[in-house]
Amino acid sequence: MPVRFYFLATAYTLAFTPLVFAADPLAVRIDRLIEAKAKTEGVPLAARADDAEFLRRAWLDLAGQIPPTADVRAFLADRSADKRARLLDRLLDGPDYAPRMADRFHLMLMERLGDHTEWSTYLRETFAANKPWDAMARDILRADPKADAVTRGAAFFLAKRLENYGQNPVDYSALTRDVGRLFLGKNLQCAECHDHLFINDYKQRHFQGLFAYVKNTTLVPGPTPRVAEKPTTEKMKFASVFTKVEMITGPALPDGRMVEVPAFPKGQEYAESPDRKTNAPGVPKFSTLAALSEQLPTVKNRDFVRNAVNRLWFVLLGRGLVHPLDLHHADNPASHPELLELLADEFVAHQFDIKWLLREIARSETYQRSSLLPAGVKPPDPALFAVALEKRLSAEQLFAAVCQAAGGKPTPALKAKFVKAYANQPREPEEEPIPSLRGALFVLHDADVLALLKPKPGSLVDRLANLADADLADELYLSVLTRHPTAEETATVKKILTAADGKRTDAISELAWALIASTEFGVNH
């Protein structure tokens, strides 16, 4: 189904009013800044999404799946003015929030590099407890081998990247790059051997300073993700491949103060020596990971804060204020610089509370804007957020949505099939909706997917088969697309059922498949 857009044709009267009032809720201040930029650009804003569009979007974003049919009917029938705010509160405080955020952050931080039960448990437990983002980042970057049973799973972020494959050495350069990209919003990959050729802000010393934090880390083999550190006893030399001029650095954040490397007499570098009998990695007196975890995720590190709010904005709006997400630099400024700083300030003021920030963004009219444009209207620049953007469904979201719609039992085996069909290759960020032949063939032919659309007790097709033709289209569309069918769609369903000629159940199954295979189902709009 083609993407549906339409614009609100009303004018805005913001030119002579202050843009931001500190006393207003953050959602209101977000809208003022977005609307002011659109007005300056002469771009009208889309209307508010209707209830069905908003309901599906919020469920997919905050619960990771589409709503059950009964919930759709109840929400659409509810006439109370505060039902959207109550829905957001319910989803954010509901049982699906922590698993959804665990999936989202796993995808963002691991980029399909691998899975581990203890990592998954760590993410779920921390989101269930609403642990602040700075504390989560400390857990992940510290990878403390002495952490409690839940927190030790955070070491998987580093441990997985410290694996070597075959005869290939550990890719410390990629690990350094990922720390910069995912925690600071800076992809320093092309600054490893010299200053970046095209981004003046990215210097070789920035890459090498981050590299110095992780270069002496190693993987501790075993079923639990564990990271060991060899003692760092001196600063590190490096030189540009162009100038050959030797430079020196200790661990340092980009444009941050270099960490002094303390000297210890040989043989006295460890507070706890490694123990080969127990495979205990030892604890160096000077830990570069401890330094990294103390210095990077702080309120004073504006790169860390801006990167965090930009990625949370992306989670709900489908595009970063700085985009691509890992290219924060002077020549790629935020689309709305004041808004980025406002979000950063408020995130710090609210102690890096992820749930609070998601709630405020979701309450804004900017989040609740429609993705509908009238036919023939040129889509505006996506950086203006004048109309809701299509967001890619992860393989996990798509799997959950199909099972919910079809009334099928979600199984790990089927989930693995969805991941194989729809996930990107490792290290390829999944940020844009990209149709693939592999995914199309999967939903077209996979026996387990097609089995979901057979009449079984409790399944969608079984439920539909017991309805009269007059009621079937509405139940089908509410169950799969979270909306009522149009008059034309209702007529089409009726026509297909009339022509079924004794094969009514087969026709219903094919109708359900057609909606599940549609673009409208496959994106969050």
Side-chain angles (χ1 to χ4, degrees):
M1 179 175 178
V3 182
R4 305 167 305 138
F5 297 97
Y6 89 94
F7 268 113
L8 178 68
T10 56
Y12 293 88
T13 55
L14 297 170
F16 304 105
T17 57
L19 296 181
V20 174
F21 300 91
D24 288 330
L26 179 58
V28 174
R29 288 179 279 166
I30 288 171
D31 290 332
R32 284 205 182 100
L33 292 169
I34 292 291
E35 290 165 9
K37 180 70 176 287
K39 180 180 176 65
T40 300
E41 299 289 333
V43 174
L45 299 173
R48 204 178 204 219
D50 63 25
D51 285 343
E53 186 178 11
F54 167 78
L55 176 66
R56 185 177 189 271
R57 183 184 301 166
W59 265 83
L60 283 167
D61 282 336
L62 302 176
Q65 61 177 312
I66 61 173
T69 314
D71 287 52
V72 180
R73 289 190 182 279
F75 187 80
L76 298 183
D78 188 348
R79 299 301 176 212
S80 57
D82 65 341
K83 68 176 183 178
R84 294 194 179 195
R86 287 190 287 107
L87 173 72
L88 293 175
D89 290 344
R90 175 189 160 198
L91 294 175
L92 286 162
D93 296 332
D96 294 325
Y97 170 76
R100 160 61 181 154
M101 285 299 118
D103 277 351
R104 191 68 194 82
F105 274 67
H106 168 64
L107 189 56
M108 181 174 70
L109 294 173
M110 296 308 300
E111 295 180 334
R112 305 289 182 191
L113 283 174
D115 304 279
H116 197 288
T117 302
E118 292 190 28
W119 167 250
S120 299
T121 300
Y122 168 76
L123 290 175
R124 282 198 174 93
E125 293 290 331
T126 49
F127 279 109
N130 198 30
K131 194 170 193 173
W133 172 238
D134 60 333
M136 288 182 65
R138 275 194 292 276
D139 292 342
I140 293 168
L141 297 173
R142 178 64 187 90
D144 187 354
K146 294 183 176 299
D148 60 58
V150 171
T151 307
R152 70 186 183 190
F156 185 65
F157 175 86
L158 294 176
K160 186 63 183 175
R161 290 170 167 86
L162 291 171
E163 292 180 354
N164 62 317
Y165 298 91
Q167 299 301 312
N168 296 317
V170 173
D171 195 346
Y172 287 100
S173 296
L175 170 57
T176 303
R177 181 201 64 180
D178 286 351
V179 171
R181 288 176 54 236
L182 299 170
F183 292 94
L184 299 172
K186 295 184 175 183
N187 187 347
L188 300 170
Q189 181 180 21
C190 292
E192 179 176 4
C193 303
H194 47 75
D195 290 349
H196 201 292
L197 296 179
F198 308 110
I199 301 175
N200 291 331
D201 290 352
Y202 293 179
K203 305 299 184 186
Q204 188 184 14
R205 67 175 185 278
H206 297 157
F207 180 94
Q208 298 295 338
L210 280 182
F211 182 80
Y213 283 110
V214 300
K215 72 182 182 69
N216 284 330
T217 56
T218 60
L219 175 67
V220 180
T224 294
R226 286 200 299 170
V227 175
E229 288 185 76
K230 294 181 289 186
T232 296
T233 57
E234 58 184 7
K235 294 179 180 177
M236 186 181 69
K237 297 177 182 176
F238 66 97
S240 166
V241 295
F242 297 132
T243 66
K244 310 297 183 185
V245 176
E246 187 174 277
M247 292 173 276
I248 190 168
T249 187
L253 299 177
D255 293 326
R257 183 172 57 85
M258 187 188 307
V259 179
E260 291 301 321
V261 178
F264 298 101
K266 188 172 179 57
Q268 297 184 28
E269 298 92 347
Y270 281 98
E272 295 180 21
S273 298
D275 188 336
R276 292 185 177 179
K277 293 182 179 178
T278 62
N279 201 31
V283 179
K285 290 178 180 176
F286 172 57
S287 165
T288 54
L289 290 185
L292 179 63
S293 67
E294 291 166 4
Q295 295 171 349
L296 191 153
T298 69
V299 297
K300 294 181 180 179
N301 186 350
R302 205 64 177 174
D303 289 342
F304 169 71
V305 181
R306 290 191 188 109
N307 174 66
V309 298
N310 192 54
R311 288 179 178 275
L312 291 171
W313 177 269
F314 166 80
V315 167
L316 293 187
L317 274 299
R319 179 187 173 89
L321 294 165
V322 176
H323 207 83
L325 302 178
D326 57 3
L327 286 178
H328 288 243
H329 58 84
D331 295 329
N332 184 39
S335 59
H336 300 73
E338 287 184 68
L339 178 53
L340 183 65
E341 297 307 316
L342 173 64
L343 296 177
D345 290 342
E346 290 293 329
F347 197 40
V348 169
H350 289 81
Q351 292 79 47
F352 295 96
D353 187 334
I354 292 174
K355 186 182 288 189
W356 175 85
L357 185 57
L358 291 176
R359 192 189 312 265
E360 288 299 310
I361 295 174
R363 283 177 171 174
S364 70
E365 291 299 313
T366 302
Y367 175 76
Q368 298 185 30
R369 194 155 287 136
S370 177
S371 62
L372 300 177
L373 280 173
V377 173
K378 184 179 179 182
D381 182 349
L384 292 174
F385 302 100
V387 62
L389 304 177
E390 284 183 334
K391 288 174 288 191
R392 172 175 177 156
L393 293 188
S394 69
E396 291 80 1
Q397 283 176 298
L398 199 53
F399 162 71
V402 168
C403 291
Q404 180 71 272
K409 181 182 179 181
T411 65
L414 184 55
K415 182 178 181 180
K417 282 188 170 185
F418 271 80
V419 172
K420 185 177 181 180
Y422 292 103
N424 280 9
Q425 294 298 309
R427 294 193 185 281
E428 289 183 8
E430 296 181 10
E431 298 174 356
E432 310 288 345
I434 302 176
S436 72
L437 178 61
R438 181 180 54 181
L441 292 175
F442 171 72
V443 77
L444 184 64
H445 295 296
D446 185 82
D448 291 332
V449 172
L450 299 180
L452 291 173
L453 301 173
K454 299 297 182 184
K456 299 176 184 176
S459 73
L460 171 65
V461 172
D462 182 64
R463 198 166 74 242
L464 295 173
N466 289 297
L467 293 177
D469 285 4
D471 301 323
L472 193 147
D474 200 52
E475 181 73 8
L476 172 63
Y477 275 75
L478 288 174
S479 299
V480 179
L481 299 182
T482 319
R483 65 173 174 84
H484 293 294
T486 64
E488 183 181 5
E489 290 165 338
T490 298
T492 300
V493 170
K494 184 177 179 181
K495 183 178 179 181
I496 291 172
L497 294 176
T498 302
D501 192 24
K503 296 182 179 180
R504 185 174 185 269
T505 301
D506 290 344
I508 292 171
S509 179
E510 290 177 3
L511 281 167
W513 176 87
L515 294 193
I516 284 174
S518 68
T519 300
E520 183 176 355
F521 184 83
V523 298
N524 190 2
H525 49 81

